Amino acid sequence: MATPETILTADGLLPTDEPVLWKERLYPNFGVWVIVVGLAFAPAVIFAPIDMTIGVVASVITLIILVIMMITSTPTILVTRTVLQVGRARIDRTYVGTAEAFIKDEATTQRGTALHGLTYLCIRGWIDAVVKVEITDQEDPAPYWLVSSRHPDQLANLLTSRTPQK
């Protein structure tokens, strides 16, 4: 698991020799893929009265485009000893305070009524749990990051630990 990784930053790719302590891709779940496939059939229905061949070709092209869009827009959570990267956002771990995991109703509250207006969000509707990561950098306007995760307790424990696991 601890392999050198290329980290995507706002400035581009930054190679690092640091071992990756955590890597999680927030891929869509099965239900979202069913919806994507269902949407891809819309051109077939629209073009059916004109020409079914055109409709099928348009549906296949639509499916390919939707799949590419879903995969390329999937964010990654990446944690090394010195960096936390969520999607395109990146911060040094020296500015990461405590991290708390929330599930079910508590996660809904964090995404809703308890949400601070300046929070950096990387949430996905198909992932229920979130991790609230405190940001201690006084220059950063975001008081915390709210991040979806399929393993919120493990991610929160890793981020809160001052001596990251090897």
Side-chain angles (χ1 to χ4, degrees):
M1 180 168 138
T3 59
E5 193 70 36
T6 301
I7 299 176
L8 177 66
T9 65
D11 302 328
L13 294 175
L14 175 70
T16 180
D17 292 332
E18 284 190 80
V20 173
L21 303 173
W22 182 272
K23 185 174 183 179
E24 179 179 1
R25 296 283 316 250
L26 304 178
Y27 285 113
N29 62 14
F30 180 75
V32 174
W33 287 113
V34 169
I35 292 170
V36 166
V37 171
L39 287 174
F41 284 113
V45 173
I46 293 169
F47 286 107
I50 299 168
D51 185 355
M52 195 58 180
T53 305
I54 293 173
V56 170
V57 170
S59 289
V60 169
I61 292 170
T62 302
L63 180 62
I64 291 168
I65 290 171
L66 288 174
V67 167
I68 290 171
M69 287 175 49
M70 292 298 289
I71 290 172
T72 58
S73 68
T74 298
T76 300
I77 302 169
L78 188 74
V79 180
T80 67
R81 292 182 191 188
T82 60
V83 173
L84 166 62
Q85 180 176 316
V86 178
R88 292 188 212 163
R90 179 178 184 255
I91 191 166
D92 290 340
R93 288 204 45 205
T94 55
Y95 298 117
V96 173
T98 59
E100 297 178 81
F102 297 96
I103 58 172
K104 300 185 182 184
D105 290 338
E106 292 176 335
T108 302
T109 301
Q110 290 300 316
R111 289 186 301 261
T113 57
L115 184 65
H116 188 282
L118 296 177
T119 300
Y120 171 73
L121 295 173
C122 185
I123 55 176
R124 295 298 181 257
W126 51 82
I127 300 174
D128 179 53
V130 294
V131 177
K132 183 178 180 180
V133 182
E134 176 190 23
I135 304 300
T136 60
D137 183 3
Q138 298 302 318
E139 303 280 326
D140 195 332
Y144 61 91
W145 290 6
L146 196 61
V147 179
S148 292
S149 176
R150 289 190 170 92
H151 310 283
D153 292 324
Q154 296 165 342
L155 179 59
N157 289 337
L158 175 64
L159 291 173
T160 301
S161 68
R162 290 291 150 224
T163 54
Q165 302 166 358
K166 292 183 180 179

